[in-house]
Each structure stands twice: as C-alpha cells, then as structure tokens.
Amino acid sequence: MNDSDKSAGQAAPSRRKDARRNQKTLLDAAAAVFVTSGVDAPVRDIAAKAGVGLGTIYRHFPTRADLIIGVYEHQVDACADAGPALLATSPSPHPALGQWINLFVDFLVTKHGLAAVLQADNTGFEALHAYFLDRLLPVCTELLEAAAVAGEIRPGIDAYQLMRAVGNLCIGAESDPRYDARHMAELLVAGLRRPHH
C-alpha cells in the first residue's frame, strides 16, 4: 500500500464512497446469484458476477451468514426507499401503494429461501425480522395514510395487518407455477379502495 502517502487526506471520503458503492455492487450480485442458484451458491460465483476478487468479499463479509444478512438488509432497504420514491412519482397514492406492494411481494417470494436459512439461527432471524418491520412498517403506513387522506382507500387500514396478509398470500408461491402471488396481492390492494356510491 504505497499509495497511502499520496494525498491520503482527500482520498479518504471518496474511498469511503467507493467502499459503499463496492458493497452495494457486491450485495446486488449476491442477491442475483442467491435467487438463481440458492444461498449455498459458491462465493466465487458471486465474486465473478460482482467483478471482484474472493478476498474482497471475505473482507466485507467474513462468513456466509454475514453475506446472507447483508443481502437481506440491503433488499429491505431498497424496498423501504422505494415507498417515498413511488409516492413522489405516482399520479396519486393508491397506485404508489399498489406498486410498492408488488415490490414487497417480489421481495417475499424471492427472499423466502433466505428467511428459511436464517431461521436455523433464531437470534439472527429475530434481529432481521425486527429490522424488516422497523424499516417497512413506517413506509407501508405512510402509503396507506396518503391514500386514505386522498380519499382513495377506506381509512384505518393497519399496515402490519396488510403486510401480514400479503405475506400469507406469498406462502409457497415460489414452488407453484400455477399460482401468481402478485396478482392476488393486486386484488387485495384493489379491494382497499373506498367504494364509490
């Protein structure tokens, strides 16, 4: 590491930004490999997809469990961040809610394997489940409140109950090609609409 003496001061912030970007690239690659090959996929496949060396992955995520947790949190964050973005760009809140529930369904169906792996280590799973609720419940609440204020859906719909209902609609979806969880979730969201007299 002989480059550290060259303007180390100004390199630090950009290096931190690089590290964050590299970690995001890594987690995106790991997520994609997990979805296609399962969470037991070889780490070298993830390294190849991310365009980094094995050492880089092990430096960020010393164990496979660390990597799985990293992917899970990264995807929860992406789902959480999508809520306000959809609200800002949708013509009204109800379609934003529908699009967000679609993302949530995709997360639940593709991440089901992750959840199953993590249940083996219950403490890790509980911490992740808490993270999931901490990040996603407020986003779902915000979408529901905006749609209720806009008069598009009936008021008083509880975000936790809605997320649980969507979760229940997703059970087993990844192993049954005849079942479309996203379509059933869309029907549920459509059913939230305030009936027009």
Side-chain angles (χ1 to χ4, degrees):
M1 285 298 193
N2 51 2
D3 65 338
S4 56
D5 51 2
K6 276 191 299 220
S7 65
Q10 72 191 76
S14 70
R15 198 174 297 148
R16 256 198 311 278
K17 205 157 61 206
D18 281 351
R20 261 201 310 277
R21 197 169 48 238
N22 292 348
Q23 197 156 339
K24 183 182 176 330
T25 304
L26 248 176
L27 290 169
D28 283 337
V33 170
F34 284 168
V35 167
T36 52
S37 314
V39 288
D40 298 324
V43 174
R44 66 173 171 276
D45 291 2
I46 296 167
K49 189 163 184 70
V52 299
L54 277 176
T56 304
I57 294 191
Y58 289 124
R59 196 162 59 244
H60 285 288
F61 306 102
T63 69
R64 183 177 296 270
D66 294 326
L67 183 59
I68 292 170
I69 288 167
V71 167
Y72 193 94
E73 291 184 345
H74 174 57
Q75 304 233 283
V76 168
D77 289 342
C79 195
D81 294 343
L86 287 167
L87 262 184
T89 55
S90 281
S92 73
H94 185 262
L97 175 66
Q99 287 176 278
W100 187 78
I101 292 291
N102 276 343
L103 291 174
F104 182 57
V105 168
D106 288 347
F107 171 83
L108 292 175
V109 172
T110 57
K111 294 299 149 296
H112 204 73
L114 285 185
V117 170
L118 292 160
Q119 263 164 329
D121 159 29
N122 246 321
T123 51
F125 185 73
E126 278 163 25
L128 272 185
H129 193 65
Y131 185 77
F132 171 92
L133 289 176
D134 286 348
R135 291 288 279 127
L136 298 185
L137 267 178
V139 176
C140 189
T141 300
E142 184 188 357
L143 286 158
L144 284 169
E145 283 173 356
V149 167
E152 294 182 306
I153 67 169
R154 51 196 90 205
I157 293 160
D158 178 73
Y160 179 76
Q161 291 204 29
L162 179 62
M163 284 169 59
R164 270 302 298 266
V166 172
N168 288 341
L169 288 174
C170 292
I171 292 169
E174 69 271 25
S175 56
D176 183 354
R178 291 178 54 197
Y179 177 62
D180 183 352
R182 182 184 261 216
H183 179 60
M184 298 317 287
E186 280 169 2
L187 289 177
L188 177 62
V189 173
L192 301 176
R193 269 197 176 281
R194 185 192 276 278
H196 288 296
H197 295 305

